[in-house]
Amino acid sequence: MATVKVDKSNFQADVLNAKEPVVVDFWAEWCGPCKMIAPALEEIANELGGKVKIAKLNIDENPELAAQFGVRSIPTLMIFKGGERADVKVGAAPKTALSHWINGNLA
């Protein structure tokens, strides 16, 4: 399963109301570290299939959502479970660290 794009029009349905846990990647086009972790997130999305959804939210296009969740630097990754924020990770990391963090939050 590839990553999905979310914005203010579908955030409620695709993230907060999702049955599975959702990792939201708050990013922007101009963010170098965001671009560095993007391929790893795509691979993790494919590897974990239906266990987790990985969604990308462009903060330049959705500043109100970034503000609502207190995003101050990017990349910021948030895991949502049952409509609630379960964990937050700020900054780029290698695929192994990202995968470990995500898997640790699936338990």
Side-chain angles (χ1 to χ4, degrees):
M1 177 180 205
T3 59
V4 296
K5 182 180 177 183
V6 292
D7 57 32
K8 62 185 175 190
S9 71
N10 64 354
F11 192 85
Q12 182 77 36
D14 288 357
V15 176
L16 301 180
N17 295 341
K19 289 184 169 85
E20 70 275 80
V22 182
V23 175
V24 179
D25 173 20
F26 291 85
W27 72 286
E29 271 307 322
W30 48 264
C31 170
C34 299
K35 291 181 179 183
M36 285 173 32
I37 67 168
L41 291 174
E42 286 288 342
E43 289 175 22
I44 293 167
N46 290 327
E47 290 165 8
L48 293 179
K51 291 187 208 168
V52 66
K53 181 191 298 182
I54 299 185
K56 299 180 70 64
L57 185 135
N58 186 318
I59 64 161
D60 287 336
E61 297 171 0
N62 302 277
E64 61 287 328
L65 283 171
Q68 178 182 338
F69 291 103
V71 174
R72 295 184 184 200
S73 64
I74 54 173
T76 291
L77 301 173
M78 292 186 188
I79 295 183
F80 290 84
K81 292 186 201 173
E84 299 290 323
R85 181 173 36 195
D87 202 3
V88 178
K89 183 171 187 59
V90 179
K95 180 186 173 191
T96 52
L98 294 172
S99 186
H100 180 74
W101 177 71
I102 292 168
N103 278 307
N105 276 285
L106 296 182

